[in-house]
Amino acid sequence: MKAAGHAPAFCFGEPRNFSVKLKSMKKKTNTAGKKSEAPLVGIIMGSTSDWETMEHAANTLRDLGVPFETRVVSAHRTPDLLFEYARSAEKRGIEVIIAGAGGAAHLPGMTASKTVLPVLGVPVESKALKGLDSLLSIAQMPGGIPVGTLAIGKAGAINAALLAAAILGNKHEAIREALRSFRLAQTKKVLSQPDPAVAAQQALQAVHEEFSGKKE
């Protein structure tokens, strides 16, 4: 992955935590000549600045072992590219599209109008209206062209990835079980430390010990 602020290119998720080998997936050769799983999720965004938010969707899918690709596709500056991406996604094996955009935020809706694949919209926080404009632009779709709209910003990007995994889980058992493992681990983490005061004290103690070790 490239750092925030750089143009994200096509990339494929590699499993980290909670992942199970996806045996049913086709293999695809990348430019380095290595075998990688064909992407099931397409993450698109209106500009490179949106990567700071959409990176969280990519990281979540990678943690679940879901193969994905990322690309900047502007609804206003590259409309032909948007139409081609949306039209070709299904044929290329993409099963869910996550589209992030800010401001007028037409990308998710326009993408949904050109494909029957499920499209999940992530409103990116804007400077003028803090993402409220993005949220309403994505959510207020006319009847007949649905876009699954998530929360503004980081939380929405993470949940878009989790929802995409849930959709894919209806067909891909390995993804469903990876998502189940994620949920169980999340629950276990909360139950393991119900007292926030104790957690804060432990964190402070860890910092103190690290500082003392460096001092010695």
Side-chain angles (χ1 to χ4, degrees), residues 4-203:
H6 293 274
F10 283 105
C11 56
F12 304 95
E14 296 295 338
R16 286 199 306 208
N17 303 321
F18 320 114
S19 61
V20 183
K21 185 68 175 178
L22 306 182
K23 297 180 181 179
S24 63
M25 304 212 175
K26 296 179 181 178
K27 296 294 181 179
K28 184 173 182 176
T29 304
N30 59 23
T31 54
K34 298 178 181 179
K35 295 290 185 179
S36 60
E37 292 166 340
L40 293 177
V41 178
I43 301 176
I44 59 176
M45 60 213 80
S47 68
T48 55
S49 61
D50 297 335
W51 180 239
E52 184 177 351
T53 296
M54 301 309 293
E55 185 176 16
H56 297 290
N59 290 340
T60 302
L61 289 175
R62 187 182 298 109
D63 285 346
L64 293 171
V66 178
F68 63 91
E69 63 183 26
T70 63
R71 191 168 184 182
V72 172
V73 182
S74 173
H76 303 126
R77 290 167 291 177
T78 60
D80 293 338
L81 176 62
L82 164 60
F83 293 160
E84 176 58 30
Y85 183 91
R87 278 195 299 259
S88 67
E90 185 178 0
K91 292 180 180 179
R92 293 190 299 105
I94 297 295
E95 297 184 20
V96 181
I97 295 175
I98 298 174
H106 292 145
L107 180 62
M110 290 303 296
T111 301
S113 74
K114 301 297 290 186
T115 181
V116 294
L117 296 176
V119 175
L120 306 178
V122 178
V124 174
E125 184 174 341
S126 57
K127 292 182 179 179
L129 297 172
K130 300 300 182 182
L132 181 59
D133 47 352
S134 315
L135 174 63
L136 295 178
S137 293
I138 298 172
Q140 292 300 112
M141 289 294 294
I145 306 293
V147 172
T149 309
L150 284 302
I152 298 170
K154 177 181 176 180
I158 292 173
N159 283 341
L162 294 175
L163 186 54
I167 293 171
L168 293 170
N170 287 320
K171 177 180 177 182
H172 304 281
E173 182 181 359
I175 295 178
R176 182 171 67 248
E177 293 310 311
L179 180 60
R180 193 190 311 278
S181 295
F182 169 84
R183 296 284 292 270
L184 290 173
Q186 186 173 242
T187 299
K188 184 177 180 181
K189 182 179 179 181
V190 173
L191 295 177
S192 66
Q193 191 53 269
D195 188 343
V198 174
Q201 183 61 37
Q202 290 177 342

Side-chain angles (χ1 to χ4, degrees), residues 196-208:
V198 174
Q201 183 61 37
Q202 290 177 342
L204 183 62
Q205 181 64 26
V207 171
H208 176 72

